Amino acid sequence: MPPHPETWLKVLPEGLFCEPGGFFIDPPGPVPRAIITHAHADHARPGHGAVLASPETMALMDVRMGEGRSGAQRQVLPYGEPITLDGVRVWLQPAGHVLGSAQVAMEWQGSRAVVSGDYKRVADPTCMGFEPIACDVFVTEATFGLPVFRHPPALGEAARLLDSVRLFPERTHVIGCYALGKCQRLIALLRQAGWDGPIHLHGALIPLCQAYERMGIPLGELRPATVAAKAELAGAIVLAPPSAIADRWARRLADPVVCLASGWMRVRQRAKAKGIELPLVISDHADWDELCATLTEVDAPEIWVTHGREEALIHAAEQQGRRGRALRLVGYGDEDDAGVEAVPGETALGGKVVA
Amino acid sequence: MIAFAELLERLTLTPGRLAKIALLRRFFETEPDPDRGIGLAALTGELAFDAAKPALIRQLAESRTDPVLFAWSYDYVGDLAETVALMWPERRVNAPPPLLMEVVQSLATTPKSELGALVAGWLDASPAPVRLAILKLITGGLRVGASVRIAKIALAELSGGRIAADDIEEVWHGLSPPYTELFAWLEGRGDKPDPAGAPVFRPPMLAHPLEVQDLAVLDYARYVAEWKWDGIRVQLVSTPGGRRLYSRGSEDISAAFPEIVEAMTFDAVLDGELLVLRDGPDGVVVAPFADLQQRLNRKAPTGRMMQQFPVGIRLYDMLFEADEDLRPLPFDARRRRLEDWFARAAPARMDLSELIDVPDLPALSVLRDGARAASIEGLMLKRRDSPYVPGRPKGLWWKWKRDPLTIDAVLMYAQRGHGKRSSFYSDYTFGLWRQLEGGSEELVPVGKAYSGFTDAELAMLDRWIRNHTTARFGPVREVAHGRDAGIVLEIAFDAAQRSTRHKSGVALRFPRVSRLRTDKPPAEADRLDILIRLLEGEATIAI
């Protein structure tokens, strides 16, 4: 009988550890050997010994941390190409979260575990879609693990934004969005919804947009918002990190309509508390229905939840007849939830950015 | 219903008045009859349903959701209707979301036993924002922060400038949902609706604040003065078609003051001040505003409240006597009509506001300075030949408020403002020194101020607050405040009143920042005792 994954995939103080393979997955601090699911700051930390990631994730880490800062030895692994690390067969599969995001699939002595990283199930023009893998243990996130979180079609949210731009043509629409992934997806959505004019960007968003374009994701005409004249910004769409939209930086804008693109915006009270005038429910995380459907699709008898609202998802898993376990990994958050009230001087990228 | 749901969400989250008007205007422009009129009624609080209550919503939730997940979700969201709207299990049904008219009509006519199934069917056919709008409509909790006045301004814009919001005001209370004749009039497809004897509200005439530069140039012989009473301005409308008591903002407050409505046994439209009046040894005594506040907080008073806080009207003006519109007449003529009518009608619970002759500025100043008593805010000056003009016409009526009181207080907490001020710390909680047992002193918060400073002062305060933050509680920052650290604000206010809700025991009326006292060390700010000595209600004035 193959060994149960809990005998070889363990939660250590340093993070989730594959013991026979000798590697950590998304460790919150430097380790000798790490596999990184995606380039968000809470999953991708600098300074590892050896680091393995998808080519896109590696490129994005270089942009965020500085060339070569992610680890001393860096190895890229394209999706679907298995390698063997000390007897553990490992491959990456698209997770649909952001460009380059991957699930880490591991097989050891006939037992298979999949670590999803962060993921979503709806189509995203800026990254490959999630591909489910049948497994014995599925390690999932649960950021939006409550049934109140059900994201509406993202294109409809982009259309609501454009409708508001038409209604208030003299005002700037400033949209708070996380710099990696959300920003580029929102731009692509606006293009799909018919906005072919320029989109203005806060300085912190520019390097990652350039990286996306280098990797073949066209974003259309982008302009720096910081140098634009106030008159130019009347009627403009400006994207900025959530921490900037209601703070001093935003004073340069023309009577701004403050918007935030985030799955949290589903709850009106959260929008109100943050002073958001137009909430856009756009998330790069699976919503409740997607989480539950994914558990059914991968059909693992056992579900481990890394972070988020684990109790509700475990409750749902148990109702499907699966065993649920909360890993309570510390250090992961939701990138949007850094919040509008971030400390001045800190960027929305968690202060770890070279941008 | 989709457009209405979107409108509700945006109105709830939009701080700006102009933006709210634009949102409403577009809704009225693009939605067809009768839905736009029903939406208008819902927003202005004209709709109420008795049958559907929160219990029904809770039952629906229990029938369709997992109880454990519901409990966690409710705990997270914190609002019953929103929780149910968000977590309602979506099923594909072959039906569009209901129309607003359909929802409103069905709610009024469906027997209680069938209501659950009806509402569940609507929720099945609707996306989340519409589900929320339906549930909020049912429970009467729209709370969008858009006043009736804003809705009327948006309606007036539909006419392309032909019709003013005040014109709508004059017919408003004679109309009923779905207001098709109103929309027809606004869009030039029909005549002005005729209220035909209905007790409609007439927009009141308001006064300009008197500035120093005006004082020197006024021709006092042309004016008459009155006390400016510190109650609420009301309009009494009594016609064969009904009796209504309206606030200055056209809100029907009849139900809150039944004893006034009972006393309106006449056919006239009157302008006056609603006050708590008590019999004293030397005549009727006006109670401080805090007493009236007790009554204003209630939709319908208990017998005990009516006894404890008896209200009356001090009459200022007469707009109609029976069918005769007196508004074009000069003030003097209207006043004579009011006095003659009052002598004949002798209405209960009402008296006339006393007129004061003003020979010149010195006499007026003496009067105003003497008006330090409770329940008088200052003086009104009315030009003898002024017709009753809705709105705030220039040069006819003036209000000359008594000088505000001031204290020097220490800034303790700051919070960001809204809308244009959302990046500025513009809401200030300030405190005064209080002696503790053992002789040391502590600062105790006494109020909040949001206005009175210039843009430059706001920028300076914002910078200072960011650089001197000592703690954060959500959106609130605590700033350095102590004997040697902190910033002193001179706070102006109209009156101090006892309050059990404030730690200091005192509440200020209309506090605002009058000056930044960067020259003053916090240790020299005022003591709480000063405020306590100023408390109103300790000394009332008999008229």
Side-chain angles (χ1 to χ4, degrees):
Chain A
M1 199 174 126
H4 190 282
E6 69 189 6
T7 64
W8 56 273
L9 186 60
K10 297 185 170 172
V11 178
L12 302 186
E14 298 89 342
L16 189 61
F17 184 57
C18 175
E19 203 166 62
F23 59 84
F24 289 86
I25 299 172
D26 293 351
V31 296
R33 205 176 192 191
I35 298 182
I36 303 300
T37 61
H38 65 286
H40 278 150
D42 51 343
H43 294 258
R45 300 287 187 176
H48 301 303
V51 61
L52 182 141
S54 72
E56 295 85 358
T57 295
M58 197 64 82
L60 292 169
M61 286 196 292
D62 279 349
V63 173
R64 303 191 60 173
M65 302 170 188
E67 189 89 27
R69 294 273 314 279
S70 55
Q73 292 168 278
R74 296 175 307 283
Q75 182 183 356
V76 297
L77 182 63
Y79 294 132
E81 293 183 10
I83 54 165
T84 303
L85 296 171
D86 294 334
V88 181
R89 190 165 174 264
V90 175
W91 74 96
L92 302 179
Q93 196 93 342
H97 179 54
V98 298
L99 182 60
S101 69
Q103 309 172 69
V104 181
M106 292 158 284
E107 267 177 14
W108 193 61
Q109 297 183 353
S111 150
R112 183 191 287 173
V114 173
V115 176
S116 66
D118 291 340
Y119 66 100
K120 69 171 173 289
R121 302 301 306 273
V122 294
D124 177 343
T126 65
C127 69
M128 303 250 304
F130 181 95
E131 293 171 13
I133 310 165
C135 52
D136 301 305
V137 163
F138 182 64
V139 185
T140 181
E141 60 141 326
T143 304
F144 291 109
L146 269 183
V148 293
F149 293 109
R150 207 182 283 132
H151 313 321
L155 198 55
E157 296 298 285
R160 285 177 60 228
L161 171 62
L162 293 184
D163 180 56
S164 183
V165 172
R166 280 189 292 273
L167 183 62
F168 298 110
E170 70 297 341
R171 303 176 70 189
T172 306
H173 280 67
V174 59
I175 303 114
C177 56
Y178 191 68
L180 168 56
K182 183 71 61 63
C183 166
Q184 295 77 22
R185 181 178 177 212
L186 182 58
I187 294 170
L189 284 166
L190 287 168
R191 300 303 184 203
Q192 271 186 356
W195 179 266
D196 46 18
I199 291 174
H200 291 78
L201 299 179
H202 182 283
L205 308 182
I206 293 172
L208 288 160
C209 287
Q210 289 169 340
Y212 264 61
E213 294 214 282
R214 282 198 300 274
M215 287 186 267
I217 314 281
L219 299 175
E221 189 192 348
L222 306 177
R223 292 185 191 169
T226 313
V227 296
K230 200 160 188 160
E232 183 187 332
L233 294 177
I237 294 177
V238 176
L239 271 48
S243 59
I245 55 175
D247 208 350
R248 284 173 283 186
W249 181 84
R251 288 180 198 167
R252 73 193 67 228
L253 307 174
D255 186 15
V257 178
V258 179
C259 319
L260 185 65
S262 161
W264 300 114
M265 291 296 100
R266 172 103 167 153
V267 178
R268 189 179 282 181
Q269 204 47 48
R270 277 192 88 132
K272 205 169 169 73
K274 290 188 171 184
I276 304 300
E277 191 168 336
L278 180 60
L280 302 170
V281 189
I282 302 177
S283 175
D284 288 328
H285 293 269
D287 69 9
W288 174 256
D289 290 345
E290 293 171 47
L291 289 170
C292 293
T294 304
L295 300 194
T296 313
E297 270 185 79
V298 300
D299 200 22
E302 197 163 319
I303 306 296
W304 297 357
V305 185
T306 51
H307 63 289
R309 312 214 146 248
E310 56 257 32
E311 68 281 359
L313 190 60
I314 288 170
H315 175 82
E318 284 166 354
Q319 286 187 326
Q320 292 182 1
R322 304 171 204 285
R323 199 180 145 211
R325 178 184 165 202
L327 300 185
R328 299 206 173 79
L329 295 184
V330 290
Y332 297 147
D334 168 61
E335 58 277 4
D336 291 331
D337 217 24
V340 180
E341 281 282 335
V343 186
E346 239 178 52
T347 69
L349 309 180
K352 298 279 178 193
V353 197
V354 183
Chain B
M1 191 84 201
I2 292 172
F4 182 68
E6 174 78 12
L7 175 70
L8 280 190
E9 171 165 323
R10 292 218 61 178
L11 286 177
T12 308
L13 297 173
T14 296
R17 179 182 155 90
L18 289 176
K20 283 182 180 170
I21 292 170
L23 289 163
L24 283 160
R25 177 194 166 149
R26 191 183 46 176
F27 176 78
F28 296 137
E29 266 171 359
T30 52
E31 283 301 285
D33 287 322
D35 264 33
R36 57 178 171 175
I38 299 293
L40 173 59
L43 290 167
T44 51
E46 303 284 325
L47 300 178
F49 311 104
D50 296 330
K53 283 289 160 241
L56 174 95
I57 295 174
R58 208 178 267 277
Q59 279 165 21
L60 282 173
E62 282 166 9
S63 70
R64 292 288 188 98
T65 61
D66 177 292
V68 175
L69 294 176
F70 177 78
W72 279 331
S73 297
Y74 188 18
D75 192 44
Y76 178 81
V77 176
D79 177 278
L80 179 67
E82 189 168 5
T83 308
V84 176
L86 292 180
M87 73 180 294
W88 189 257
E90 295 194 345
R91 20 169 108 169
R92 298 254 170 268
V93 291
N94 194 13
L99 294 175
L100 195 46
M101 185 69 178
E102 184 187 338
V103 171
V104 169
Q105 276 182 343
S106 309
L107 283 175
T109 55
T110 306
K112 210 170 170 178
S113 57
E114 294 165 29
L115 219 45
L118 178 75
V119 176
W122 289 335
L123 298 184
D124 282 339
S126 304
V130 176
R131 294 196 295 262
L132 182 59
I134 291 172
L135 295 175
K136 288 283 178 190
L137 203 57
I138 287 176
T139 49
L142 289 181
R143 267 184 238 111
V144 293
S147 68
V148 180
R149 182 69 185 173
I150 281 181
K152 287 170 191 158
I153 292 169
L155 287 169
E157 288 192 0
L158 284 189
S159 75
R162 285 180 303 115
I163 296 164
D166 279 343
D167 298 330
I168 298 173
E169 209 71 87
E170 296 230 349
V171 297
W172 177 256
H173 288 279
L175 303 171
S176 57
Y179 306 106
T180 36
E181 54 173 340
L182 172 67
F183 284 107
W185 173 49
L186 294 171
E187 291 171 344
R189 295 179 287 106
D191 295 332
K192 181 172 181 173
D194 179 7
V200 297
F201 174 75
R202 307 299 193 308
M205 179 162 176
L206 304 172
H208 271 278
L210 197 56
E211 308 287 349
V212 184
Q213 63 269 25
D214 301 315
L215 283 173
V217 296
L218 281 189
D219 177 1
Y220 292 91
R222 299 181 66 191
Y223 285 85
V224 63
E226 282 177 79
W227 296 115
K228 183 168 172 18
W229 296 100
D230 190 11
I232 67 161
R233 182 94 178 271
V234 289
Q235 188 173 102
L236 295 76
V237 185
S238 183
T239 71
R243 299 178 191 176
R244 297 279 186 283
L245 183 66
Y246 292 111
S247 74
R248 205 185 95 168
S250 90
E251 193 192 348
D252 182 353
I253 53 170
S254 311
F257 302 97
E259 66 266 59
I260 301 291
V261 176
E262 193 191 335
M264 287 161 58
T265 53
F266 45 76
D267 185 354
V269 177
L270 305 167
D271 183 339
E273 195 87 8
L274 180 67
L275 300 161
V276 169
L277 299 172
R278 295 197 181 93
D279 288 326
D282 308 312
V284 174
V285 177
V286 179
F289 188 82
D291 283 21
L292 182 59
Q293 194 96 51
Q294 301 291 323
R295 291 288 304 264
L296 292 174
N297 292 340
R298 299 216 157 219
K299 278 225 154 92
T302 60
R304 189 158 165 273
M305 294 222 66
M306 289 167 62
Q307 217 169 16
Q308 216 176 343
F309 303 105
V311 288
I313 307 281
R314 192 143 283 172
L315 295 168
Y316 291 137
D317 215 321
M318 189 171 209
L319 281 63
F320 279 76
E321 185 172 3
D323 289 338
E324 190 188 352
D325 188 350
L326 307 184
R327 291 177 293 176
L329 301 180
F331 176 82
D332 275 348
R334 289 202 310 280
R335 175 73 192 195
R336 271 196 302 279
R337 293 286 297 263
L338 175 66
E339 287 173 4
D340 292 349
W341 169 85
F342 186 81
R344 285 195 313 273
R349 293 189 173 274
M350 294 174 208
D351 60 16
L352 291 176
S353 166
E354 176 194 6
L355 288 188
I356 310 159
D357 273 321
V358 274
D360 50 30
L361 179 57
L364 197 64
S365 300
V366 168
L367 267 174
R368 174 174 169 267
D369 293 343
R372 186 42 88 194
S375 66
I376 290 181
E377 277 190 289
L379 284 171
M380 294 289 300
L381 286 178
K382 296 179 176 175
R383 216 168 78 187
R384 293 173 178 279
D385 62 352
S386 57
Y388 194 95
V389 189
R392 214 183 287 274
K394 192 95 191 163
L396 298 179
W397 287 9
W398 301 93
K399 56 182 172 190
W400 197 20
K401 283 202 182 185
R402 61 190 190 188
D403 281 335
L405 303 158
T406 62
I407 43 169
D408 289 334
V410 182
L411 178 63
M412 299 178 71
Y413 305 94
Q415 194 171 353
R416 289 196 211 198
H418 295 283
K420 283 190 175 138
R421 282 199 187 158
S422 61
S423 71
F424 289 96
Y425 285 87
S426 61
D427 299 2
Y428 309 122
T429 300
F430 50 84
L432 298 179
W433 292 105
R434 174 167 68 181
Q435 191 119 34
L436 294 172
E437 280 175 47
S440 64
E441 286 192 315
E442 65 163 4
L443 281 169
V444 54
V446 294
K448 261 184 162 197
Y450 318 85
S451 62
F453 33 79
T454 64
D455 286 353
E457 286 170 333
L458 173 61
M460 181 261 152
L461 282 167
D462 181 69
R463 221 172 16 251
W464 188 89
I465 288 158
R466 288 169 191 272
N467 292 332
H468 294 85
T469 300
T470 53
R472 292 171 194 227
F473 312 94
V476 177
R477 287 188 184 213
E478 183 176 23
V479 296
H481 57 267
R483 290 188 59 80
D484 305 311
I487 199 160
V488 177
L489 306 173
E490 183 183 283
I491 302 289
F493 58 99
D494 286 3
Q497 296 161 348
R498 263 197 199 291
S499 162
T500 49
R501 267 192 280 179
H502 294 71
K503 191 180 165 192
S504 62
V506 184
L508 304 181
R509 235 156 104 66
F510 301 132
R512 62 261 183 197
V513 177
S514 60
R515 264 197 301 169
L516 307 192
R517 293 297 305 269
T518 43
D519 55 311
K520 196 164 199 176
E524 289 174 27
D526 284 323
R527 269 65 195 155
L528 184 60
D529 309 351
I530 290 200
L531 218 48
I532 292 182
R533 261 180 263 134
L534 289 172
L535 274 181
E536 276 202 25
E538 318 286 288
T540 46
I541 188 171
I543 302 289

